[in-house]
């Protein structure tokens, strides 16, 4: 048996069965198992990681989650996005990447122009990026239908702007089941509620837009962290109570080194084997 | 909700134990044993499945209840008894499924829509009375945890009846008892557990619109591959 390991995961409760990950099927280009980013800009620090779920590692499926995060120097703002490509479509991973990057690029252009974001327009542009990409793929269906068939993805986008007192203000808009949290002074606040009852698998996804699409707004005290996560994180973290919330709370009070952030996200916990993406923006640093 | 202890999929195998099953019950038991082995080869799926086996005839007998198959040495053995009372089977599920789902949620699990594998060789002896129980079981208003029912007709089962029991046409099968049936149930269960992480598209056309026109501010500046 091979001694090769990606590293020992952090175990929370009962671990997932041990196995060596299979290489992802090569569809639509190269896709690394894990993506990590981290930096500080102005009064913010950002950390982000996207890890392939244990089920996808076991099956040889590419990571279908992704993120994008950038700093806008002119305004000191952070633009951030997380996305979860819909597994049943062939290029879900590319859909997630396209949606994150086009939404954050769009927000940066809005900030460059000194304008306020038109959130439905930002989401429509992200959806249209899928349509344009789909139009270049094989198929004789309408490009929008092809985008839905090949590239469907959820998307959660945030614009975080600093205030003079070190606090910050975030606007967020989402299509689908990703979640935001604020972790402040040891307390979790989940920004979206889940419905009780039978757990649902289906989610709204781009290139579809909810008709009642709106941005949500949240104040971020200095020292707090805004976290954006895909449902692979949301299912495990919930409202922050429990083992996962405790482990995150212990590690995320201040921005950890990016690779530690990724290792935290890659925790092993039985039955939690979906792809996971988590993006944190800490406010009021370096003051 | 507090902590989510885990994601679970309740699976019910509801097997006909009527007298006419006598020639095939041995093969059906072999099929269950193979199902057990096959599921253990899929560790991620096995961790999520909670397995119940009900044998039905004139009444319903619970052979296994919400078991984690990784800790079961062997699956119980089905027997044969008397008539083919579908109503008894669906009534048992009507009382058992909501109770099981509530208990799992109470323990802190996120519970996904249960799956029922309904295995029968014959026509119901309680036609049409069983249909009332069935309709209440699969109606999501009446039974919020209404299961997906996969119907497997064995031997003399009529295709029409099997289609009536399956909750979708593609969930209706005509099966040969034995190893292949066990493998088919295992494969189906594994596929269902994978669908938990599959984040399917919601079909909600009345609440969403498809982007079909290029937005005025759109700039294609993304290079992903």
């Amino acid at each position: 048996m091979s001694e090769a390991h990606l590293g020992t995961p952090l175990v929370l409760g009962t671990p997932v069965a041990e196995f060596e990950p299979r290489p992802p099927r090569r569809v639509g280009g190269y896709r690394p198992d894990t993506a990590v980013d981290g930096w500080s800009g102005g009064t913010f620090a950002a950390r982000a990681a996207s890890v392939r779920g244990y089920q996808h590692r076991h099956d040889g499926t590419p990571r279908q989650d992704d993120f994008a995060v950038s700093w806008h120097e002119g305004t000191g703002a952070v633009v951030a996005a997380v996305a979860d490509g819909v597994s049943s479509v062939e290029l879900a991973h590319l859909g997630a990447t396209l949606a994150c990057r086009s939404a954050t690029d769009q927000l940066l252009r809005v900030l460059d122009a000194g304008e306020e974001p038109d959130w439905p327009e930002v989401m429509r542009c992200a959806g249209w990026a899928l349509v344009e990409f789909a139009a270049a793929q094989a198929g004789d269906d309408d490009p929008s239908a092809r985008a839905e068939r090949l590239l469907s993805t959820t998307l959660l986008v945030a614009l975080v702007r600093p205030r003079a007192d070190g606090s910050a203000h975030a606007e967020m808009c989402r299509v689908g089941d990703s979640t935001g949290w604020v972790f402040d002074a040891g307390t979790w606040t989940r920004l979206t509620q889940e419905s009780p009852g039978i757990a649902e698998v289906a989610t709204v996804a781009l290139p579809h837009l909810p008709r009642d699409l709106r941005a949500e707004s949240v104040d971020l005290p200095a020292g707090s962290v805004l976290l954006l996560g895909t449902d692979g994180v949301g299912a495990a973290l919930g409202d922050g109570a429990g083992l996962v919330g405790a482990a995150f709370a212990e590690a995320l009070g201040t921005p950890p080194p990016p690779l530690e952030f990724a290792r935290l996200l890659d925790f092993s916990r039985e039955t939690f084997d979906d792809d996971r993406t988590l993006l944190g923006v800490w406010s009021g640093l370096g003051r | 909700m507090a902590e989510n202890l885990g994601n679970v999929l309740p699976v019910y195998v509801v097997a006909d134990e009527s007298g006419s099953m006598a020639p095939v019950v041995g093969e059906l038991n072999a099929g269950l044993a193979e199902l057990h082995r096959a599921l253990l080869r899929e560790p991620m799926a096995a961790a999520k499945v909670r397995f119940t086996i009900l044998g039905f005839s004139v009444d319903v007998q619970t052979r296994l209840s919400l078991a984690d198959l990784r800790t079961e040495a062997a699956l119980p053995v089905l027997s044969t008894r008397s008539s083919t009372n579908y109503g008894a089977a669906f009534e048992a599920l009507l009382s058992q499924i909501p109770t099981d789902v509530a208990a799992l949620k109470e323990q802190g699990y996120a519970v996904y829509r249960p799956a029922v594998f309904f295995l029968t060789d014959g026509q119901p002896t309680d036609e049409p009375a069983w249909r009332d129980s069935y309709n209440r079981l699969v109606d999501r208003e009446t039974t919020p945890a209404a299961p997906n029912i996969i119907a497997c007709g064995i031997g003399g089962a009529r295709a029409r009846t099997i289609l009536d029991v399956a909750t979708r046409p593609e969930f209706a099968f005509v099966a040969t008892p034995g190893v292949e049936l066990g493998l088919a149930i295992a494969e189906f269960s594994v596929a269902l557990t994978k669908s938990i992480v599959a984040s399917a598209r919601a079909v909600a056309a009345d609440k969403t619109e498809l982007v079909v026109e290029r937005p005025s501010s759109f700039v294609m500046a993304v290079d992903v591959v």
Side-chain angles (χ1 to χ4, degrees), chain A residues 26-81:
Chain A
R26 194 170 169 111
V27 50
Y30 170 67
R31 187 72 164 180
D33 178 277
T34 298
V36 186
D37 201 359
W39 40 258
S40 293
T43 58
F44 293 118
R47 299 288 184 268
S50 181
V51 299
R52 189 155 66 121
Y54 289 89
Q55 180 74 59
H56 286 164
R57 286 174 178 161
H58 191 260
D59 295 346
T61 303
R63 171 174 50 87
Q64 294 166 338
D65 274 14
D66 207 5
F67 65 84
V69 57
S70 295
W71 190 53
H72 185 260
E73 195 170 351
T75 57
V78 172
V79 297

Side-chain angles (χ1 to χ4, degrees), chain A residues 16 81 93 106 157 204 270 286:
Chain A
V16 172
H93 53 301
Q106 173 78 1
V157 188
V204 179
E270 189 174 85

Side-chain angles (χ1 to χ4, degrees), chain A:
Chain A
M1 184 181 147
S2 165
E3 288 300 310
H5 293 289
L6 283 180
T8 315
L10 174 70
V11 173
L12 299 176
T14 308
V16 172
E18 269 188 49
F19 61 93
E20 185 63 14
R22 295 195 175 114
R25 284 190 318 279
R26 194 170 169 111
V27 50
Y30 170 67
R31 187 72 164 180
D33 178 277
T34 298
V36 186
D37 201 359
W39 40 258
S40 293
T43 58
F44 293 118
R47 299 288 184 268
S50 181
V51 299
R52 189 155 66 121
Y54 289 89
Q55 180 74 59
H56 286 164
R57 286 174 178 161
H58 191 260
D59 295 346
T61 303
R63 171 174 50 87
Q64 294 166 338
D65 274 14
D66 207 5
F67 65 84
V69 57
S70 295
W71 190 53
H72 185 260
E73 195 170 351
T75 57
V78 172
V79 297
V82 299
D84 176 359
V86 169
S87 306
S88 51
V89 306
E90 189 181 343
L91 303 175
H93 53 301
L94 297 185
T97 300
L98 278 163
C100 288
R101 295 186 187 179
S102 56
T104 50
D105 285 354
Q106 173 78 1
L107 279 177
L108 291 171
R109 281 192 295 274
V110 167
L111 293 173
D112 280 343
E115 293 168 359
E116 285 298 307
D118 171 346
W119 285 101
E121 178 75 1
V122 170
M123 288 299 192
R124 260 195 301 279
C125 286
W128 189 254
L130 305 184
V131 176
E132 295 246 326
F133 190 88
Q137 307 298 311
D140 50 15
D141 45 356
D142 171 80
S144 292
R146 205 177 309 162
E148 183 183 13
R149 180 167 61 77
L150 293 175
L151 296 159
S152 284
T153 181
T154 73
L155 180 63
L156 169 60
V157 188
L159 167 60
V160 190
R161 285 186 273 200
R163 290 191 176 120
D165 64 358
S167 68
H169 178 258
E171 284 175 84
M172 288 184 298
C173 191
R174 64 190 190 122
V175 173
D177 57 7
S178 294
T179 305
W181 296 262
V182 175
F183 181 63
D184 179 37
T187 302
W188 288 102
T189 305
R190 186 180 175 138
L191 300 175
T192 48
Q193 295 311 312
E194 61 183 340
S195 54
I198 284 286
E200 289 298 340
V201 170
T203 180
V204 179
L206 292 174
H208 280 270
L209 294 182
R211 293 187 194 278
D212 58 351
L213 193 63
R214 288 190 304 274
E216 303 156 63
S217 196
V218 60
D219 286 314
L220 302 169
S224 69
V225 53
L226 171 71
L227 290 156
L228 311 179
T230 54
D231 68 338
V233 177
L237 179 56
D239 58 12
L243 277 179
V244 177
F248 280 26
E250 189 179 326
L252 300 180
T254 54
L259 292 179
E260 280 183 29
F261 185 83
R263 182 171 180 271
L264 174 75
L265 180 66
D266 198 31
F267 64 83
S268 174
R269 178 164 172 74
E270 189 174 85
T271 83
F272 296 96
D273 46 28
D274 199 356
D275 293 347
R276 299 182 197 139
T277 297
L278 185 67
L279 195 161
V281 181
W282 282 258
S283 297
L285 300 178
R287 289 166 43 82

Side-chain angles (χ1 to χ4, degrees), chain B residues 27-190:
Chain B
E27 289 174 72
L28 199 54
N29 283 321
L32 287 181
E34 184 56 37
L35 185 172
H36 190 193
R37 284 190 291 274
L39 202 55
L40 294 184
R41 290 194 290 268
E42 292 280 350
M44 238 75 42
K48 288 179 197 150
V49 170
R50 294 293 177 277
F51 209 77
T52 298
I53 299 178
L54 304 176
F56 78 95
S57 173
V58 67
D59 61 5
V60 173
Q61 295 184 4
T62 303
R63 308 290 179 201
L64 189 68
S65 181
L66 294 181
D68 181 340
L69 292 191
R70 299 171 303 169
T71 59
E72 299 290 320
L75 292 194
V77 171
L78 299 165
S79 59
T80 54
R81 298 182 284 137
S82 56
S83 58
T84 309
N85 190 330
Y86 280 18
F90 295 127
E91 280 298 325
L93 291 168
L94 257 173
S95 72
Q96 198 61 45
I97 287 178
T99 308
D100 288 350
V101 169
L104 289 165
K105 286 166 67 78
E106 181 67 26
Q107 289 167 46
Y109 292 103
V111 184
Y112 286 82
R113 190 166 297 288
V116 169
F117 293 90
F118 189 85
L119 319 179
T120 182
D121 76 326
Q123 287 302 107
T125 47
D126 56 340
E127 187 74 66
W130 65 273
R131 291 175 188 269
D132 174 59
S133 313
Y134 175 86
N135 289 335
R136 280 183 288 131
L137 175 66
V138 300
D139 176 22
R140 294 186 184 184
E141 296 285 320
T142 311
T143 309
N148 292 310
I149 301 180
I150 301 94
C152 307
I154 299 164
R158 279 187 211 150
R160 181 69 252 167
T161 310
I162 296 307
L163 275 165
D164 284 353
V165 171
T167 48
R168 289 190 217 166
E170 65 268 31
F171 288 176
F173 297 93
V174 174
T176 315
V179 166
E180 284 177 17
L181 179 59
L183 282 175
I185 294 176
E187 276 173 25
F188 216 105
S189 300
V190 168

